Amino acid sequence: MGMRPVYAVGKGVLVVLNDEINSAREVAKTNTYRLETFQSGQLGFLGYVDANGEVVFYRDVARLHTSRSAFSRTSVATWPRVDIVYSYAGADGAFINAACEAGTRGIVVAGTGAGAGLVSSAEMAALQTARAAGVMVVRSNRLGNGRVLPLAKYTAHGFVSADNLTPQKARILLMLALEKTNDVHSIQAFFDQY
């Protein structure tokens, strides 16, 4: 019985460790020392590499990536500054103000509230000031799983929702997006597609 051919062509960047195939968009390191550290959270693996060498995929990548990407030919000498600010109970917005003073073009907020990407009232005021000055604001969550939905109280101020991207991955996508546009609707579309 011969093995059936399986191809990874068109699936984007993959991470294969411990016989598990992950999409780079979804995978994250979850433990500092364990070999089984690379996990894809709630979405799971794409497939496996079996002990006999057979490669089996059980699901495909649904989001745009690599050569299908609007960024596939992006060449940048210096990337725009994008900072990550972690929200917490009682946060006063000082880190947001400091990022703006340092010349950031974008801020990714790792928000609270059951994955909803919520921020404190003081952070909200600082983010509104940042947005009015042209700084792009993206809401993500601190949890590593779960979607951040486009809530009206945030979209009204021109904040982008990161969907289920971690703050670190949202930062990379925002840096790429800012090389293409400063339009909030276009940047939200990138987060909806990638």
Side-chain angles (χ1 to χ4, degrees), residues 59-130:
R59 66 180 186 91
D60 208 348
V61 178
R63 297 295 180 109
L64 293 176
H65 56 77
T66 53
S67 63
R68 297 182 214 161
S69 164
F71 312 112
S72 66
R73 290 187 169 73
T74 300
S75 177
V76 179
T78 304
W79 290 100
R81 181 182 179 126
V82 172
D83 293 290
I84 299 173
V85 176
Y86 279 77
S87 184
Y88 52 89
D92 63 7
F95 290 120
I96 295 163
N97 296 333
C100 292
E101 289 172 16
T104 195
R105 288 197 44 212
I107 295 173
V108 175
V109 179
T112 64
L118 305 178
V119 299
S120 72
S121 57
E123 286 175 310
M124 182 66 161
L127 289 170
Q128 288 173 327
T129 300

Side-chain angles (χ1 to χ4, degrees), residues 135-191:
V135 175
M136 193 60 60
V137 175
V138 174
R139 295 172 37 249
S140 64
N141 71 61
R142 304 180 312 181
L143 306 176
N145 281 304
R147 295 184 62 215
V148 172
L149 302 176
L151 302 176
K153 74 179 196 175
Y154 294 109
T155 57
H157 298 289
F159 297 176
V160 172
S161 297
D163 193 79
N164 68 344
L165 289 176
T166 64
Q168 299 87 332
K169 291 181 182 187
R171 177 180 176 266
I172 293 168
L173 182 53
L174 182 55
M175 289 189 316
L176 287 164
L178 286 171
E179 284 299 311
K180 298 282 186 192
T181 183
N182 287 315
D183 177 67
V184 67
H185 301 293
S186 298
I187 291 178
Q188 182 63 68
F190 286 138
F191 277 88

